[in-house]
Amino acid sequence: MVSCYLVVSIYKRRQSCSVNIGHLSIGGSAPIAVQSMTNTSTEDVSGTVKQIIELVNAGSEIVRITVNTREAAACVPKIVKELDKNSINVPLVGDFHYNGHLLLAEYPQCAQALAKYRINPGNVGKGEKHDTNFKTMIEAAIKWQKPVRIGVNWGSLDQDLLAEMMDTNAKSSQPAESGAVLTQAIVQSALRSAKLAQEYGLAHNKIILSAKVSIVSDLVTVYRQLAQSCDYPLHLGLTEAGMSTKGIVSSTAALSILLSEGIGDTIRASLTPEPGGDRTQEVTVCQQVLQALGLRSFSPNVTACPGCGRTTSTVFQELAKEIEDHLQARRKTWKERYPGFEELKVAVMGCIVNGPGESKHADIGISLPGTGEEPKAPVFIDGQYFNTLSGATLAKDFIALVDNYVEKRFSSSTRIAVTK
């Protein structure tokens, strides 16, 4: 006798405290936020402002900038002023390493203008200077009422802490492998730093933690341990993920595992852009990960088949691309005019095998003829056959049907009528 069991996985968000970053709430019941970082010199005010605007327009809800020199610190208020002129209201995070204690103390306007500070406990000094410098930065956060992300990175881990834990492990009767000790050191660096920050007076709901590594399995291990050990909001990201497909796949794999387990309150895909490449790609990747997992919706979903020997015509590929471009071009305007438009599902299929079925599963779909099939393309709306398109104006006609569907389903007047 064979027994069959259906295993159902239900996503449940990890409970974390809520931290306010400017107008944005992180953790608690707030949506998982997408963030990014500029790669411009912060001293280049116009260039940095331009890139921040590009990132925000792409959907970045938090943007981090490097604050590494006195000149950069002096430029932060100017950047915020220019963003205000352009009506860009995005929480701006200052990324501090080595000299953050000096810059925050010497440039109070910078400290006040930023929405959050990112502090790397491995780069605040060594020995006695470590705690003194860290305290100075925490005191600035308290003074200006700013939250802090304590961001540990295995590439710049506190070596004193690591040496201490390695020594303790070596004396153990059953010593763990060095890799496991390194993982524990990363977690302990974050937790100890958070505890120290609270001892210095920073409120519990002003702290966010991150602990980044560049290997997917290690990242999953680190964040699982963090999630079990605290209720601080967690920022996820595979550090130095890499370029192009490698970076996208690695980031997606790491983020998806953790998010599906309910771990993570903000995310970033730390992609290395191609020379002269578009920085906003990392924002798009994060949005696609969240949307694919069903956690948030950012833009309509266009389903299209990959093609095979039955689809020697490229018409369905061209139409799918045309629909994608059409929806993206109207995304910003339609999100304001048609609330919920980003949840739209469109199918553009290439033959009769799965075409009608996929089209019925979408809000609106079209099944184009494959090789040797009758030259007609049935359209399905809300799971029901609507009409058949053909001829030279097929693409134009289908796009008109999509536009009409969006207007009828997502217009404010329609929603009010449905509510009544």
Side-chain angles (χ1 to χ4, degrees):
M1 180 176 178
V2 179
S3 298
C4 296
Y5 295 91
L6 176 63
V7 179
V8 180
S9 177
I10 301 176
Y11 173 88
K12 184 177 180 182
R13 183 83 175 276
R14 164 185 172 269
Q15 286 297 312
S16 59
C17 69
S18 181
V19 176
N20 292 325
I21 305 175
H23 67 278
L24 194 67
S25 182
I26 299 297
S29 60
I32 297 166
V34 173
Q35 63 176 280
S36 55
M37 184 177 184
T38 60
N39 60 0
T40 57
S41 168
T42 306
E43 298 168 21
D44 175 9
V45 173
S46 61
T48 300
V49 168
K50 180 177 180 292
Q51 190 171 88
I52 292 172
I53 292 174
E54 290 172 351
L55 291 168
V56 171
N57 286 339
S60 184
E61 294 158 309
I62 304 171
V63 177
R64 183 158 48 112
I65 61 173
T66 298
V67 187
N68 58 335
T69 64
R70 287 178 167 82
E71 292 76 13
C75 285
V76 170
K78 300 176 184 177
I79 291 170
V80 173
K81 185 177 180 180
E82 288 301 311
L83 291 174
D84 288 341
K85 286 182 181 178
N86 286 275
S87 300
I88 299 296
N89 182 24
V90 63
L92 206 61
V93 180
D95 193 56
F96 294 97
H97 297 272
Y98 310 112
N99 60 356
H101 58 292
L102 298 175
L103 299 179
L104 286 170
E106 293 178 14
Y107 293 85
Q109 289 182 314
C110 167
Q112 187 176 15
L114 292 167
K116 183 179 74 171
Y117 311 152
R118 187 278 177 125
I119 303 175
N120 183 338
N123 288 340
V124 296
K126 297 185 179 297
E128 294 181 0
K129 289 184 177 180
H130 178 282
D131 289 359
T132 301
N133 294 346
F134 184 73
K135 183 179 182 180
T136 299
M137 300 180 77
I138 296 301
E139 287 175 340
I142 295 170
K143 178 179 180 180
W144 300 109
Q145 299 180 10
K146 306 295 182 180
V148 168
R149 170 157 73 93
I150 295 173
V152 179
N153 191 304
W154 75 343
S156 51
L157 183 61
D158 184 337
Q159 293 302 300
D160 291 339
L161 172 61
L162 180 60
E164 172 195 327
M165 294 186 67
M166 284 293 187
D167 288 343
T168 300
N169 179 66
K171 296 174 184 177
S172 172
S173 58
Q174 294 182 316
E177 294 182 358
S178 59
V181 179
L182 175 61
T183 298
Q184 293 169 10
I186 294 169
V187 173
Q188 285 304 309
S189 178
L191 295 175
R192 289 188 187 187
S193 297
K195 181 181 178 182
L196 190 60
Q198 287 191 241
E199 290 176 358
Y200 291 149
L202 188 64
H204 186 91
N205 66 351
K206 291 288 188 181
I207 299 173
I208 295 172
L209 298 185
S210 68
K212 294 188 174 185
V213 301
S214 58
I215 296 176
V216 172
S217 58
D218 289 340
L219 190 83
V220 171
T221 299
V222 166
Y223 274 96
R224 282 174 175 167
Q225 290 182 19
L226 270 181
Q228 292 171 356
S229 304
C230 70
D231 69 344
Y232 300 111
L234 301 180
H235 167 64
L236 307 185
L238 193 72
T239 189
E240 289 91 38
M243 298 181 75
S244 191
T245 303
K246 185 269 180 186
I248 293 172
V249 171
S250 297
S251 288
T252 300
L255 293 173
S256 297
I257 293 170
L258 292 167
L259 291 170
S260 67
E261 294 180 3
I263 299 172
D265 300 283
T266 76
I267 63 173
R268 181 190 174 205
S270 300
L271 304 180
T272 304
E274 300 285 349
D278 189 353
R279 187 66 165 181
T280 64
Q281 183 184 36
E282 63 179 47
V283 178
T284 304
V285 169
C286 286
Q287 290 180 329
Q288 291 294 332
V289 169
L290 291 175
Q291 186 152 332
L293 292 172
L295 301 177
R296 291 186 67 182
S297 294
F298 296 94
S299 60
N301 181 49
V302 179
T303 299
C305 64
C308 66
R310 291 177 176 268
T311 56
T312 52
S313 169
T314 61
V315 174
F316 83 96
Q317 297 167 306
E318 293 162 359
L319 180 56
K321 180 65 167 61
E322 198 168 343
I323 287 291
E324 285 270 16
D325 292 344
H326 179 75
L327 294 174
Q328 287 300 318
R330 284 154 180 75
R331 188 171 74 161
K332 186 175 181 180
T333 302
W334 280 7
K335 281 187 72 172
E336 297 174 0
R337 185 183 302 172
Y338 304 122
F341 145 78
E342 61 273 11
E343 298 174 6
L344 176 70
K345 294 179 176 63
V346 182
V348 180
M349 303 301 292
C351 81
I352 199 171
V353 173
N354 293 315
E358 285 284 358
S359 297
K360 290 177 183 178
H361 288 306
D363 296 317
I364 178 169
I366 185 169
S367 179
L368 294 163
T371 304
E373 295 174 19
E374 191 175 345
K376 61 180 183 179
V379 174
F380 299 84
I381 295 180
D382 292 330
Q384 302 296 319
Y385 170 77
F386 179 73
N387 68 0
T388 298
L389 301 180
S390 61
T393 63
L394 184 148
K396 181 180 177 181
D397 294 341
F398 183 65
I399 289 174
L401 288 175
V402 171
D403 289 354
N404 186 58
Y405 182 87
V406 169
E407 183 177 358
K408 285 186 175 180
R409 178 178 170 185
F410 298 105
S411 67
S412 298
S413 59
T414 301
R415 286 175 174 263
I416 293 171
V418 171
T419 302
K420 289 180 178 179

